[in-house]
Amino acid sequence: MKEVNQNTIESVDINGFQDDLLRWFEAEQRDLPWRKDQDPYKVWVSEIMLQQTRVDTVIPYFHRFIEQFPTVKDLSEADEEKVLKAWEGLGYYSRARNLQAAVREVHEKYGGRVPDTPKEISSLKGVGPYTAGAILSIAYGIPEPAVDGNVMRVLSRILSIWDDIAKPSSRKIFESSVRKLISHENPSHFNQALMELGALICTPTSPSCLLCPVREHCTAFYEGTQHELPVKTKTKKQRNVQLAAAVLIDDHERILIHKRPEKGLLANLWEFPMAEINIAYVSDKEQMKDVFSTQFGAEVEIQEMTGQIEHVFSHLTWNINVYKGKVIILEEEKNDLKLVSLEEIKEFPFPVSHQKIWKQYLDSRG
DNA sequence: CAAACGTGGCC
DNA sequence: TGGCCAAGTTT
């Protein structure tokens, strides 16, 4: 029998909990590239990259990004295209554009110094409540909560909090808990320790309670409910979209590419000309010729379908019929429509779905 | 608030 | 294989 919304924070030995957690973190923390110093800019970049993204995925991107854009000034002055290229494959590309917009604001409005107040830092694009707390605590040692999925999972177990962590309203319950528990001597290590514990010990499906440094403070371990927490409602299933894309080459071996709109899915990334199609019309080369001609103002010839690609996003699935063909006449190149050489194409940021298309095209040429 | 917003790894 | 998950934010 589960208690509902049983918050047992009053019974926690706060000092003992902090000591055990911090001692564990300081002995066991992973050696991660963004932990080499406390440069607020680097902490910021790492926190944005880590949003909804695994540590192992982020590490190589972080190294390359900091090498290419070492300071606020460097990122401020960079072309957006270069920033998106550095982000290529990481996903959630608005993170990159928001980061650069925010860094430009810091450069111009704060002389390049990342602000250290909740109000100022929270006003920056892409900096929500988690990231604000993470930067303030890790870079500046300010005792603000940094509540992410790890922290909600860990604290839901420690404190037996049965609120649904999928609901936005639940976050403030956990923030309130962190405000009571956080170490004022070392807010940086406290917040990082909670996340590190969630990543290494207090994992979603099979928590290693017998290795846990704070199990004696954990009400879920005491009651044996660690596998029932946290409560998280399931997501609904995504929809399917049928598309046709074409790799179109002119008589100078140049490839036609299109820049996606500045808002929405994969904003400002480049792609091979692509159109949504009615499932009933698939595989008709003449239909595809009309689709590409009207949509992109070019006279094209569709030669053959080279294959099909399925690409799964978090909220939808693309089913793409991939064609190859020729550009006969292009009305004009525009900012969002270019003919590029085999060498030039490497400089443009493409989403993974269209990297797959390119690979398939190269394979089809042998 | 619910939905949009990417990708890759895991079981 | 398909659903779930990973250091969330914006609209």
Side-chain angles (χ1 to χ4, degrees):
Chain A
M1 185 67 74
K2 289 184 271 292
E3 297 300 312
V4 174
N5 203 8
Q6 175 92 33
N7 188 322
T8 56
I9 195 163
E10 308 307 332
S11 65
V12 175
D13 166 13
I14 293 178
N15 288 321
F17 175 73
Q18 290 176 352
D19 288 348
D20 290 338
L21 183 65
L22 290 173
R23 197 179 348 269
W24 172 80
F25 178 73
E26 283 152 21
E28 303 293 339
Q29 64 167 304
R30 290 168 292 178
D31 184 16
L32 299 173
W34 44 89
R35 288 179 175 163
K36 298 216 174 292
D37 60 54
Q38 296 178 186
D39 177 352
Y41 168 71
K42 287 190 235 172
V43 171
W44 184 7
V45 170
S46 74
E47 292 302 339
I48 300 297
M49 286 188 169
L50 285 162
Q51 290 170 5
Q52 300 290 284
T53 310
R54 286 182 163 73
V55 165
D56 289 344
T57 303
V58 167
I59 289 172
Y61 282 91
F62 179 80
H63 279 128
R64 290 193 297 265
F65 197 92
I66 293 300
E67 184 174 19
Q68 192 174 357
F69 313 111
T71 67
V72 164
K73 185 167 185 293
D74 295 307
L75 185 56
S76 298
E77 294 170 350
D79 290 338
E80 184 190 275
E81 195 109 313
K82 301 277 190 191
V83 177
L84 286 174
K85 186 68 187 175
W87 210 270
E88 183 183 73
L90 249 194
Y92 289 138
Y93 299 95
S94 68
R95 291 184 295 175
R97 302 199 309 133
N98 287 338
L99 174 61
Q100 190 183 28
V103 160
R104 283 175 170 164
E105 184 179 346
V106 167
H107 183 56
E108 289 157 18
K109 186 170 170 184
Y110 301 103
R113 216 244 169 186
V114 179
D116 61 359
T117 66
K119 190 181 175 109
E120 288 173 315
I121 199 155
S122 298
S123 74
L124 297 169
K125 280 185 185 166
V127 178
Y130 163 74
T131 304
I135 297 171
L136 290 169
S137 61
I138 297 170
Y140 293 119
I142 296 167
E144 284 290 317
V147 173
D148 71 339
N150 284 313
V151 172
M152 288 196 282
R153 182 173 60 258
V154 169
L155 292 185
S156 74
R157 289 170 177 163
I158 302 263
L159 302 173
S160 287
I161 297 173
W162 293 86
D163 298 73
D164 180 0
I165 66 167
K167 293 195 181 309
S169 58
S170 296
R171 202 196 65 253
K172 60 182 182 294
I173 296 173
F174 292 91
E175 284 179 346
S176 152
S177 300
V178 172
R179 287 188 191 282
K180 294 173 186 164
L181 294 173
I182 194 168
S183 161
H184 286 245
E185 285 65 50
N186 201 336
S188 166
H189 281 193
F190 182 88
N191 279 341
Q192 291 185 77
L194 237 30
M195 294 187 275
E196 195 82 341
L197 190 70
L200 301 181
I201 304 287
C202 195
T203 53
T205 54
S206 52
S208 305
C209 297
L210 297 183
L211 300 177
C212 182
V214 294
R215 69 169 185 262
E216 68 179 70
H217 306 281
C218 183
T219 62
F221 179 68
Y222 181 74
E223 295 171 358
T225 54
Q226 63 269 35
H227 295 284
E228 300 172 53
L229 286 166
V231 175
K232 189 179 187 183
T233 54
K234 42 189 160 293
T235 56
K236 50 171 236 183
K237 69 172 190 336
Q238 28 74 196
R239 62 185 214 278
N240 277 59
V241 179
Q242 278 292 333
L243 297 153
V247 178
L248 302 167
I249 309 296
D250 76 353
D251 52 14
H252 300 318
E253 290 285 297
R254 295 179 303 181
I255 306 109
L256 187 62
I257 62 174
H258 172 247
K259 188 175 186 176
R260 295 179 57 84
E262 62 181 42
K263 291 200 176 297
L265 184 62
L266 306 171
N268 282 5
L269 273 68
W270 291 78
E271 65 184 358
F272 301 102
M274 184 167 75
E276 195 162 345
I277 56 174
N278 187 318
I279 187 81
Y281 291 100
V282 295
S283 289
D284 185 315
K285 283 194 277 188
E286 287 306 306
Q287 303 273 2
M288 295 326 305
K289 178 172 147 59
D290 287 346
V291 166
F292 290 119
S293 300
T294 55
Q295 188 147 341
F296 299 102
E299 184 181 336
V300 306
E301 175 190 326
I302 302 294
Q303 294 169 312
E304 60 170 326
M305 193 171 91
T306 55
Q308 295 179 303
I309 284 172
E310 179 184 270
H311 189 79
V312 179
F313 295 92
S314 50
H315 61 305
L316 59 87
T317 298
W318 277 358
N319 292 298
I320 312 172
N321 290 345
V322 182
Y323 296 85
K324 89 163 101 173
K326 290 184 173 169
V327 180
I328 311 299
I329 302 169
L330 178 63
E331 296 291 343
E332 57 171 332
E333 288 196 42
K334 299 174 187 165
N335 286 337
D336 65 347
L337 198 61
K338 290 184 191 299
L339 283 162
V340 299
S341 71
L342 214 49
E343 273 308 304
E344 291 168 329
I345 199 171
K346 298 186 176 74
E347 304 301 316
F348 292 82
F350 283 84
V352 169
S353 50
H354 284 253
Q355 294 174 30
K356 293 182 193 170
I357 291 172
W358 183 238
K359 194 172 301 263
Q360 186 176 102
Y361 170 74
L362 292 177
D363 288 346
S364 79
R365 304 169 91 200

